[in-house]
Amino acid sequence: MPSSQQQASSTPWQDRLAEVCREYQIQAPHFQIVSDRRGGRTAWSSIVTVYGKRIEARYWYDGRNITNAREDAAEAALTWLSNQSNLTTTGW
């Protein structure tokens, strides 16, 4: 059995955001990784653009956790999309 079928997705918020964009028939989300030098270390975060809106991740992460930054931004984008009354779909 392929490993992708053995375990759940490691990016559930990003996957769900892409799925919702397909359902709404809007452009796929575009992620950008950003960094901020803080003393001797660098903090990392993410910004996702969806439906023309730039949505920032809520937190900054260590470089080993960039996937968490993308997940954070995707979760925030899903929350924002769910509050948009001008978008309609039968599946969400």
Side-chain angles (χ1 to χ4, degrees), residues 44-86:
W44 299 87
S45 193
S46 181
I47 300 169
V48 61
T49 302
V50 62
Y51 199 56
K53 173 88 171 162
R54 287 174 43 102
I55 301 164
E56 297 180 7
R58 296 166 293 182
Y59 305 107
W60 290 85
Y61 297 85
D62 184 81
R64 295 172 295 202
N65 300 312
I66 290 176
T67 298
N68 293 356
R70 290 170 56 107
E71 284 290 283
D72 187 9
E75 180 181 4
L78 279 167
T79 300
W80 178 81
L81 275 174
S82 70
N83 292 320
Q84 300 309 301
S85 61
N86 58 331

Side-chain angles (χ1 to χ4, degrees), residues 3-91:
S3 62
S4 62
Q5 293 177 353
Q6 290 177 349
Q7 57 186 345
S9 172
S10 62
T11 57
W13 289 110
Q14 292 174 72
D15 296 346
R16 180 67 181 136
L17 178 59
E19 179 183 323
V20 168
C21 287
R22 283 191 299 274
E23 289 174 10
Y24 283 143
Q25 298 179 358
I26 60 177
Q27 187 173 4
H30 173 74
F31 289 90
Q32 177 183 2
I33 301 298
V34 294
S35 64
D36 183 28
R37 185 85 174 148
R38 297 180 178 192
R41 300 187 60 147
T42 301
W44 299 87
S45 193
S46 181
I47 300 169
V48 61
T49 302
V50 62
Y51 199 56
K53 173 88 171 162
R54 287 174 43 102
I55 301 164
E56 297 180 7
R58 296 166 293 182
Y59 305 107
W60 290 85
Y61 297 85
D62 184 81
R64 295 172 295 202
N65 300 312
I66 290 176
T67 298
N68 293 356
R70 290 170 56 107
E71 284 290 283
D72 187 9
E75 180 181 4
L78 279 167
T79 300
W80 178 81
L81 275 174
S82 70
N83 292 320
Q84 300 309 301
S85 61
N86 58 331
L87 292 174
T88 59
T89 184
T90 58

